[in-house]
């Protein structure tokens, strides 16, 4: 397996795991997405796909924001109960 194939498989698997976790309303999925995005950024920069790298930077920022919002929502749910 070449290093390119390894990174492709890593991106694929972390993305799938992240999506499955988020679909089940598990915040850990965003951490998986962040890992996936970091690898994607590295691959995009290494292959001179800078627009793609910026897109994955945006995705990473959105994951961090989503974690923040989910934490806020969870705190509201607990305080109401």
């Amino acid at each position: 397996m070449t290093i390119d194939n390894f990174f492709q498989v890593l991106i694929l698997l972390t993305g799938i795991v992240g999506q499955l976790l988020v679909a089940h309303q598990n915040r850990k999925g965003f951490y998986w997405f962040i890992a996936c995005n970091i690898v994607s950024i590295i691959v995009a920069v290494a292959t001179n796909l800078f627009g793609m790298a910026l897109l994955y930077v945006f995705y990473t920022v959105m994951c961090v924001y989503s974690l923040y919002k989910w934490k806020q929502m969870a705190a509201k749910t607990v305080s109401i109960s």
Side-chain angles (χ1 to χ4, degrees):
M1 176 181 280
T2 67
I3 192 74
D4 293 340
N5 290 340
F6 172 77
F7 281 125
Q8 288 180 40
V9 170
L10 182 62
I11 291 167
L12 173 69
L13 293 178
T14 55
I16 289 171
V17 170
Q19 185 58 53
L20 290 172
L21 287 167
V22 170
H24 291 281
Q25 299 180 353
N26 187 329
R27 283 185 281 171
K28 291 178 185 175
F30 291 112
Y31 294 109
W32 282 89
F33 279 141
I34 290 169
C36 176
N37 293 340
I38 290 170
V39 174
S40 297
I41 291 166
I42 292 167
V43 170
V45 169
T47 56
N48 295 321
L49 296 172
F50 300 111
M52 188 69 74
L54 287 174
L55 179 63
Y56 283 105
V57 168
F58 173 75
Y59 289 160
T60 303
V61 170
M62 291 307 301
C63 285
V64 172
Y65 177 74
S66 297
L67 283 165
Y68 169 75
K69 292 301 284 185
W70 278 35
K71 184 176 180 179
Q72 279 187 328
M73 291 181 344
K76 287 180 183 178
T77 303
V78 170
S79 65
I80 293 172
S81 300

